RNA sequence: GUCCCCUUCGUCUAGUGGCCCAGGACACUGGGUUUUCAUCCCAGCAACAGGGGUUCGACUCCCCUAGGGGACGCCA
């Protein structure tokens, strides 16, 4: 049997550390076994998927050296490798599944489902589909379809008994069918859900082993059911532990940077990041902690993967990165640093801002310090200001995060317009409103133009600096963030929409 | 709330019944080398969640409790 593995990210948002983590294991295992490693883009969510993210994920994985044998760009015998290009396959198979009684049409409205689930929750039951449409007759179904009633197709799930499936690291796992929802497989927009697309594609692409995050454990029964209905053999499942925040919750961008690009921008070496990721949940037989991907691949075996969730510890990553940096030849060091600091048009962008503010060359580097490296360390006093209180600073910084995130734009003009409106909404002068942002981004209240700086730094770093600034000011409690989120939603429509039309 | 998964130093981990009054690494503390700093070297600090079994013997096997995490979407 040929070993075939895959990683199947959804192209929504920035390239995630978790994607790299999972790709690492899949790639190492496949190549160790002379198999193939596949990249498949799971763009089943039309609203959230975008091609920019698709490209960014590919770039980030390539940067890490985690490239693939088959995928959307390189092709392969089992293509296409993007869900949105495989719709006819799903439609054909979902029809088959309905025909053999494994799935059924459902015409329920969102409102009805919401109230059903709310009721169930109130009674302490598992919120799930109540089977309302499961026994509609062929005629009833046809009539509604002909009328153009929006509908989905759901998985038929047994009511009683247990589902038993196998995980390589944990052995047999038993989940009562009563816990499993009649999952939507085909959405009303005719796109499959992840569950259906992934199951189908894994089979069609002859995937033999799936290394994926532990978060998928509870959806295994659904996938198993699909395989059973079709009479397919399920791939071997190896659920990896979830990367964690320092507080042990699942790693999330609210609490630390999860974007691969952030670590790239901060000057971590791809080999070091890959090495570090490989020590999360895996250890070498000889306990070595510094090793190449090739060495990892040679030594890898599922039995050396541990099941408890590792905290992603930036201090240790930095130490490891230091080992790699010092090991570089001096010429490689120069080359890599130069590329990091000035590559991709950065030198030009920075120098254009600097020149008009320069009297002597020795002014140059002091002005651009926060663009070339980490900004000065902040304290609460850094935010002392005549016109704006520290609480207001937190508010502004918090909203800035949301604004930039929702704007999802690098365009300086747009950012500038949005901030002007934000200041107006908060009833602050732009100059005062921007003060905490200047401090957060540059470490000073006076610096090179703010929005240009943001563009040069990139969203990942900007976000991290805003987050760290908020932290310095005492952070935002759960309660407070709830209040701010509510307030934000009141501003949001106006801020975002009007911004885009101008 | 229901179900599932997990539980060795603050963190990453070694350990698959005796080699362990638990080893390594990061962080931290102290010392040494170095014109300073960093590197490097040495030393120190620090853990088997708790309770029951099984066994001649449990970090290792079983059960319970507690704690942590995840899932419960026409998100993935």
């Amino acid at each position: 049997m040929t070993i075939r593995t895959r990683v199947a990210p959804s192209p929504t948002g920035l390239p995630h550390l978790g994607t790299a983590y999972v790709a690492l294991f899949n790639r190492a295992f496949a190549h160790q076994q002379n198999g193939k490693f596949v990249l498949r883009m799971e763009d089943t969510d039309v609203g959230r998927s975008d091609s920019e993210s698709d490209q960014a994920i590919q770039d980030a994985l390539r940067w890490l050296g985690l490239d693939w044998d088959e995928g959307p760009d390189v092709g392969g015998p089992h293509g296409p490798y993007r869900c949105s290009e495989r719709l006819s396959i799903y439609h054909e198979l979902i029809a088959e599944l309905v025909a053999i009684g494994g799935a059924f049409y459902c015409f329920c409205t969102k409102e009805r489902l919401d109230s059903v689930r709310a009721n169930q929750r109130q009674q302490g039951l598992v919120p799930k589909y109540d089977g309302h449409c499961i026994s509609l007759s062929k005629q009833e179904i046809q009539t509604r379809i002909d009328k153009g009633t929006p509908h989905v197709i759901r998985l038929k799930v047994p009511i009683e008994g247990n589902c038993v499936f196998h995980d390589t690291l944990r052995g047999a796992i038993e989940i009562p069918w009563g816990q499993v929802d009649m999952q939507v497989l085909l959405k009303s927009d005719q796109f499959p859900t992840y569950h259906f697309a992934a199951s189908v594609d894994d089979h069609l692409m002859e995937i033999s082993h799936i290394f994926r995050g532990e978060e998928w454990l509870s959806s295994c029964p659904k996938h198993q059911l699909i395989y059973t209905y079709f009479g397919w053999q399920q791939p071997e499942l190896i659920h990896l532990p979830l990367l964690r925040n320092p507080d042990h919750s699942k790693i999330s961008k609210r609490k630390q940077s999860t974007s691969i690009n952030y670590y790239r921008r901060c000057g971590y070496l791809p080999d070091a990041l890959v090495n570090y990721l490989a020590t999360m949940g895996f250890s070498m037989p000889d306990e070595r902690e510094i090793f190449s991907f090739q060495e990892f691949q040679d030594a890898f075996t599922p039995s050396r993967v541990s099941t408890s969730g590792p905290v992603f510890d930036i201090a240790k990553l930095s130490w490891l990165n230091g080992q790699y940096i010092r090991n570089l030849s001096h010429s490689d060091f120069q080359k890599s640093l130069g590329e990091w600091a000035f590559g991709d048009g950065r030198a030009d962008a920075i120098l254009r801002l600097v020149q008009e503010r320069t009297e002597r060359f020795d002014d140059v580097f002091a002005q651009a310090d926060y663009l070339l490296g980490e900004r000065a360390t902040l304290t609460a006093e850094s935010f002392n200001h005549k016109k704006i209180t520290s609480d207001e600073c937190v508010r502004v910084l918090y909203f800035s995060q949301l604004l930039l995130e929702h704007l999802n734009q690098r365009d300086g003009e747009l950012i500038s317009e949005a901030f002007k409106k934000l200041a107006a909404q908060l009833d602050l002068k732009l100059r005062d409103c921007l003060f905490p942002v200047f401090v957060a981004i540059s470490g000073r209240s006076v610096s090179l133009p703010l929005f240009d700086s943001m563009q040069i730094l990139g969203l990942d770093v900007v976000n991290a600096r805003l987050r760290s600034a908020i932290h310095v000011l005492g952070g935002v409690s759960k309660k407070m963030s709830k209040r701010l989120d509510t307030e934000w939603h009141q501003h949001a429509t106006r801020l975002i929409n009007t911004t885009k039309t101008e």
Side-chain angles (χ1 to χ4, degrees), chain A residues 282-342:
Chain A
F282 172 82
S283 61
M284 282 295 214
D286 63 359
E287 294 190 55
R288 222 171 350 143
E289 296 193 288
I290 302 178
F291 49 85
S292 67
F293 181 83
Q294 185 63 47
E295 291 171 309
F296 169 65
Q297 181 177 309
D298 292 342
F300 179 74
T301 163
S303 67
R304 292 201 66 84
V305 176
S306 60
T307 44
S308 53
V311 172
F312 191 87
D313 178 8
I314 296 177
K316 186 147 182 180
L317 169 62
S318 296
W319 166 79
L320 190 62
N321 200 56
Q323 300 295 314
Y324 276 82
I325 296 258
R326 288 178 210 113
N327 249 331
L328 252 28
S329 71
H330 187 64
S331 70
D332 281 347
F333 176 71
Q334 281 194 25
K335 209 176 124 211
S336 302
L337 173 67
E339 182 52 39
W340 175 85
F342 304 119

